[in-house]
Amino acid sequence: MNRVACLVAAGLLLVGCGSDVQLASPAPVTAAPTTAAAPTTSIAPEATCLGDEAVGRAPQSYPALESVPAATELPEGSTMEAIRERGALRVGVSSDTLLFGSRNPSSGEIEGFDIDMLKQVAMAIFGVSEEESYDYLELVVMPYSQRISKLLADEVDIVAHTMTVNCARWTRIAFSTEYYHAGQRLLVREVSPEVGEFASLEEFISDADATVCVPADGTSEEEIGARLVEAGADSKRMQAETEISDCLVLFQQGKVAAIASDDTVLAGLAIQDDPNAIVVGPFFSEEPYALGMQPGQVDFVQFVNAVLAGMREDGTWQAIYDRWLFGTLGEAKLPDARDDRPLP
Amino acid sequence: MTATQPSGSVGQPGGAAGLLAAAVKWLRSRLAGNTTPSLLRLAMVVTTALTVLFGVFGALGVSRREAALADARVAAEQLLAVQELRVNLVHADALASEAYLAGGEASGSLRTEYEAEIAAVGVGVAAVSNGSSPAVASALGEVAQQVARYAGLVEQAQANNRQGFPVGAAFLRQANTVVTKESVPLFTGLEQTLRGQVNSALDRASRAGAWLPLFGAAALAGLAVIGAWLSVRFRRLLNIPLALASGVVAVLLIVGYSMQADAITTAQDATAGPLTLADSAAQVRAAEFAARREETAVLIYRGNNQAQRDAFALAINTAAAAVRCPATECPVQAGVTRYRAAAESVIELSERDGDAAREASLNSSSADFRAAADAAGQETTEQGAAASAAFADSADGLGTLRVVVFAGALVAAALALAGLGQRLKEYR
C-alpha cells in the first residue's frame, strides 16, 4: 500500500519516492561439496591374534621370504611385480612427525626414519640406489586417522607412519614384522633441569585441572581415555587433535599441560619446543611399529619382511637408526622379527 | 467478535475531511460581505506566505538532498576503503602461505610483500576509523587486535619453518583461522552495513526531492488563482508584477526540479554503474586471494587437506559469481577463468606428484593468479575512482541552487506584493 501511495504521489509530483536504484549485496555462494570419505572394506578378522599384547610384543607376521629376489626376478603376477610395472611405490606417510616423516623446508622432501624404511623397500623392488629410491616413492601424506582407511581404499601400497601393530589392527590390515619398538610417554613443561611439571602419567591424572592433548584415532587416545575413565576423571581433560603438531601449538600456547604419544613422536616435538619441554615417565604402553599393508597381499608382506630381515643383518637398520634417532633417543634394541603367522 | 462503532462518531464527518469542511466554512464566512480592499489584503498575505514557504522549504529540500548525496558518497568511499582493508589482509594471508610453501630464500620477496600488506591494514584501519561511525570504528578496532594476533602466529609459523619444524604448519593453520573465521566475517558485516548506508542515503536524497516541486506547485497555483481573480475583479488582462512573480516561481520550479533530478540520476547511475562494479571487483579480488591461499595450503597440508580443497572451491566459486562485466571484453572474468584452471591443475597434480605441484604452484599458477588479481585490482581502482567522482559531481550546483531558490522566492514574494499593492492603491 505504501508503495502504491508513493507511486501515486510520484505521479503527481514526479519525484518523492525512495531510490529505485540500490547497491546489491553479494549473492551467497554454495559451499563446495565435501568429498565423501574413502569407502572402507570389511575384512574378516583373523582367527587368532598371534601376539602377546600384555607384554607389548607385536603379533606374528607372515614368514619372510628366504631371500629378497632381485628386482628383475620378481615373481610373475606378484604384488611387487605390479608395483614395479607401475613405476612407483605408493606410500602413506606423515609430513609433520619430526625424525620419522617430516618435510624439509629447504629441499621440500619428506624425510625421516619411516621414509628411509620405505626407501629400502623401493630399492628392493626397483633395483635402484638409495639416492635414486626417493624418486620411486609416490608419497601420500595422511593423518593418523586415515592410515588404515587409505590402505583399504587401495590408495597406497604400504604405510610407514609410526603405526603400532596390534591385534585389533591385524583384523583389518596386514603388517610387516616390527621395525621399531616405541612406548607411550608424556611430554610436559620442564620446571627445572631434567624435572617436568609432572613426573609420570599417574601424577598427571591425579591433578584434576591438568589437560592433555593426544593424536586423534591413535592408540594414545584409547589408552589415555581408558586411564581417565579408570581414575574417574573428567574425559574433557583429554583433547584429541587430527594433527599431532596442533597438540604442540596448544601446548606452547598453554592450553594443555601435556601431550601423550609415542616417545618417538614426543622426542620430535620436544626438539621443536626446546628448551621448554621434556619427555617424562616410564612407558605406559608398549608400541611396536610395523609397516601396514593391504590385507590379502601376503606375498608383499613376506617380501617386505625379507627386506627388513636383510636390514637387521647387514647393519642397515642400525645405520638408519643412528642417522635419525640415536642423537635424540640414545641406544636402541633391535626389535624381534616375529614372523610365524601361518600363511592363509 | 464484532467491532462496534463508537456512538460519538455517528453522523459526524471524520478526520481530515471534517477539518477541510470546517476550513471552507470558515473561509466562506470570512469572505462573505468582505470588501475588495480586505480581499486584496488577504491575497497579499496568501501570496507572500506561499512564495516564502516555497523559498524556505524548497531550499531546505535541496539542502537535504545535497546532504544525503554527500552521505551516500562518504558511505560508498568507506565501503571501498573497508573492502581494500579486507583485500590487504586476505592478500597478506595468501602471501604468508605462499612464503611458507616456498620456504628458504625464495620467500624473501614474498615476505616483503606480506609485511607491506600487514602495514597497509594497520594504516588503513586507523584512516577509516577516523571519521567513521562508532560501530564501524569499534569493529575496526577489533580487527586491529586480530591482525596483531594473526601476525604473531605467522611469525611463529615462519620461525618454525625456517628451522624445519613441522609445527610451523600448525601455527600457519591457526593464523589462517583468525583471518577466515574472525576478521573476514567482521569485514563482510561492515561492508553490508555500509551498503545499507549508501542505500539509505539514496532513499533520503530521493525523498527530499519532493519538497521543491510540492511547494513550488502550490505557490504557482496560488499566484495563478489570485491573478485570475484580479483580472476578473478589475477587468484588466494582466497584473505585470504578479505575472513576473509567477514567472520567477515557474523558472525556479523548472530549473530546481531539473537540477535535482540530474543530481539523483547521477548518484543512482554511479551506484548502479561504477560503484557496483568496484564493489564486485573488490569481492572478486578478495575471493581470488582466499583461493590462492587455499591452493598453497592444499600443498602444505598434503594428505590431510580436504578442508583446504573445499575452501579453495568455495573461494574460486565466490570469485566467479562476483564478476560483473562492464563490457564485452572482461579481463576480470578472463583472469578468474585462467587462474581457476591453473590452480585446479596444481591441485590435481598434487595428488600424483607433490613436488611438481609445488613447483607449478610457485611458478605458472602464481603468474596466472597475479594476472587475475591485477585485473580485478585495476577494475576496483578505476571504477572506485569513477564512483567517487560521480558522487561528487551529483551534488555539484545544489549549494548554489539552494541560495537561488530562497532568494528567487523572496523576489517573487516582493513582486506579488507590489502587484497587489498597486491594485490596492488604485482602489483607494
Side-chain angles (χ1 to χ4, degrees):
Chain A
M1 278 305 283
N2 283 345
R3 189 69 191 157
V4 173
C6 182
L7 287 172
V8 171
L12 295 172
L13 300 171
L14 304 179
V15 284
C17 295
S19 173
D20 287 335
V21 175
Q22 299 273 287
L23 186 59
S25 303
V29 176
T30 319
T34 303
T35 305
T40 53
T41 312
S42 176
I43 305 294
E46 291 279 332
T48 54
C49 176
L50 302 174
D52 194 352
E53 284 190 285
V55 291
R57 302 184 71 187
Q60 297 281 2
S61 180
Y62 298 119
L65 297 177
E66 283 186 12
S67 63
V68 179
T72 49
E73 293 168 9
L74 295 171
E76 201 174 324
S78 67
T79 305
M80 296 75 78
E81 190 195 43
I83 293 168
R84 183 180 163 82
E85 281 177 4
R86 189 198 299 136
L89 176 64
R90 300 172 306 166
V91 298
V93 297
S94 167
S95 68
D96 69 348
T97 308
L98 199 65
L99 307 178
F100 278 79
S102 67
R103 191 177 300 282
N104 181 328
S106 45
S107 67
E109 289 189 357
I110 297 175
E111 57 187 28
F113 187 82
D114 278 346
I115 306 301
D116 279 6
M117 291 288 139
L118 294 169
K119 281 182 178 176
Q120 294 295 316
V121 177
M123 286 162 64
I125 293 176
F126 298 103
V128 294
S129 67
E130 188 175 357
E131 288 71 33
E132 294 168 318
S133 61
Y134 189 80
D135 295 334
Y136 289 84
L137 298 179
E138 189 179 310
L139 296 153
V140 180
V141 179
M142 56 184 64
Y144 281 90
S145 55
Q146 291 177 5
R147 293 176 297 188
I148 291 176
S149 62
K150 295 268 187 190
L151 267 173
L152 294 175
D154 191 29
E155 290 181 32
V156 290
D157 301 309
I158 187 168
V159 168
H161 196 310
T162 59
M163 180 152 65
T164 302
V165 52
N166 58 31
C167 291
R169 287 177 176 168
W170 253 109
T171 65
R172 303 185 67 198
I173 58 171
F175 284 95
S176 69
T177 53
E178 183 180 355
Y179 70 88
Y180 185 81
H181 194 84
Q184 288 194 55
R185 299 178 75 192
L186 216 54
L187 182 85
V188 299
R189 205 156 300 289
E190 190 175 41
V191 289
S192 60
E194 301 300 314
V195 178
E197 188 177 356
F198 303 99
S200 63
L201 178 63
E202 287 68 28
E203 197 178 310
F204 165 81
I205 287 177
S206 66
D207 183 335
D209 296 327
T211 51
V212 63
C213 185
V214 295
D217 294 331
T219 46
S220 311
E221 187 177 9
E222 296 165 17
E223 189 68 34
I224 298 284
R227 298 283 186 112
L228 288 172
V229 169
E230 201 177 292
D234 185 352
S235 61
K236 286 179 185 163
R237 288 176 58 193
M238 180 177 72
Q239 181 168 347
E241 290 291 328
T242 309
E243 298 287 349
I244 187 75
S245 51
D246 285 325
C247 280
L248 185 56
V249 171
L250 294 174
F251 180 76
Q252 291 186 347
Q253 292 174 337
K255 291 176 182 168
V256 295
I259 302 172
S261 189
D262 299 351
D263 61 331
T264 49
V265 176
L266 295 181
L269 297 185
I271 290 171
Q272 297 178 67
D273 197 52
D274 186 61
N276 300 313
I278 183 171
V279 181
V280 297
F283 284 177
F284 54 84
S285 76
E286 306 282 336
E287 306 291 334
Y289 290 168
L291 303 170
M293 282 160 276
Q294 294 182 23
Q297 294 188 341
V298 178
D299 59 340
F300 189 37
V301 176
Q302 289 188 281
F303 177 85
V304 169
N305 283 346
V307 172
L308 291 175
M311 290 168 63
R312 287 188 186 95
E313 282 167 20
D314 66 11
T316 305
W317 185 94
Q318 190 64 52
I320 293 173
Y321 179 87
D322 291 348
R323 183 185 308 160
W324 293 107
L325 305 176
F326 177 77
T328 311
L329 297 171
E331 293 286 349
K333 182 175 166 280
L334 198 63
D336 292 340
R338 291 161 52 82
D339 61 354
D340 283 339
R341 182 175 292 262
L343 292 170
Chain B
M1 195 170 168
T2 309
T4 53
Q5 197 172 8
S7 57
S9 67
V10 174
Q12 299 290 324
L19 280 175
L20 188 64
V24 170
K25 195 175 170 187
W26 175 82
L27 195 60
R28 274 189 183 152
S29 69
R30 298 292 297 169
L31 293 176
N34 267 349
T35 58
T36 299
S38 60
L39 286 174
L40 279 170
R41 282 188 202 98
L42 180 63
M44 288 167 86
V45 170
V46 169
T47 51
T48 306
L50 286 174
T51 46
V52 168
L53 280 175
F54 166 57
V56 170
F57 284 98
L60 204 57
V62 173
S63 174
R64 287 175 69 95
R65 174 162 285 194
E66 190 185 10
L69 289 175
D71 288 349
R73 188 180 103 179
V74 168
E77 285 174 350
Q78 280 192 346
L79 170 65
L80 296 174
V82 165
Q83 282 179 326
E84 186 60 23
L85 287 179
R86 172 155 71 112
V87 165
N88 288 144
L89 184 58
V90 181
H91 187 196
D93 195 34
L95 288 164
S97 185
E98 195 174 338
Y100 191 96
L101 181 68
E105 296 161 9
S107 64
S109 59
L110 293 171
R111 182 166 179 81
T112 309
E113 223 181 323
Y114 161 81
E115 284 169 353
E117 289 292 30
I118 288 292
V121 177
V123 171
V125 162
V128 179
S129 298
N130 190 17
S132 61
S133 67
V136 171
S138 157
L140 288 175
E142 214 173 312
V143 166
Q145 288 176 5
Q146 289 165 356
V147 170
R149 192 152 46 88
Y150 166 80
L153 289 166
V154 168
E155 280 309 310
Q156 283 178 288
Q158 303 293 13
N160 279 292
N161 194 33
R162 278 194 292 276
Q163 295 178 79
F165 292 163
V167 71
F171 277 109
L172 192 68
R173 191 164 39 231
Q174 274 208 351
N176 172 255
T177 303
V178 173
V179 169
T180 55
K181 303 278 187 257
E182 298 179 33
S183 301
V184 167
L186 261 176
F187 276 127
T188 48
L190 272 180
E191 287 165 20
Q192 200 53 18
T193 302
L194 290 165
R195 277 188 204 99
Q197 286 180 9
V198 170
N199 291 334
S200 149
L202 283 177
D203 278 342
R204 276 188 284 118
S206 197
R207 277 193 294 268
W211 293 23
L212 184 134
L214 177 68
F215 285 95
L220 202 56
L223 288 170
V225 168
I226 289 164
W229 173 72
L230 277 183
S231 62
V232 172
R233 181 72 184 80
F234 292 92
R235 300 178 194 284
R236 289 193 197 168
L237 189 59
L238 200 63
N239 180 310
I240 290 173
L242 199 61
L244 280 174
S246 302
V248 167
V249 171
V251 167
L252 289 175
L253 184 58
I254 292 165
V255 171
Y257 175 78
S258 161
M259 283 181 71
Q260 286 208 105
D262 266 359
I264 194 71
T265 305
T266 305
Q268 287 178 333
D269 287 350
T271 305
L275 182 59
T276 296
L277 290 173
D279 185 10
S280 302
Q283 288 167 45
V284 171
R285 198 154 162 247
E288 283 172 344
F289 284 131
R292 174 64 177 166
R293 190 269 161 194
E294 299 304 340
E295 177 206 332
T296 50
V298 162
L299 304 182
I300 292 170
Y301 304 111
R302 228 161 62 216
N304 186 25
N305 56 16
Q306 192 56 52
Q308 286 78 20
R309 284 162 182 265
D310 290 346
F312 167 80
L314 180 61
I316 201 72
N317 286 345
T318 303
V323 171
R324 298 275 176 283
C325 292
T328 320
E329 199 175 315
C330 189
V332 176
Q333 172 86 69
V336 171
T337 306
R338 207 165 37 242
Y339 170 58
R340 179 200 279 266
E344 284 178 347
S345 144
V346 163
I347 291 171
E348 195 268 327
L349 180 61
S350 75
E351 290 168 13
R352 290 176 281 113
D353 188 341
D355 294 334
R358 179 174 174 268
E359 284 306 305
S361 179
L362 294 172
N363 295 300
S364 55
S365 173
S366 175
D368 283 335
F369 158 72
R370 281 175 186 272
D374 286 349
Q378 193 178 341
E379 178 83 353
T380 311
T381 308
E382 285 174 4
Q383 299 295 349
S388 268
F391 272 113
D393 283 352
S394 71
D396 261 4
L398 291 185
T400 310
L401 177 65
R402 177 170 24 106
V403 176
V404 168
V405 165
F406 185 68
L410 293 184
V411 169
L415 284 168
L417 283 175
L420 290 167
Q422 213 174 41
R423 291 289 172 272
L424 190 60
K425 201 188 238 179
E426 284 171 7
Y427 197 83
R428 281 173 185 157

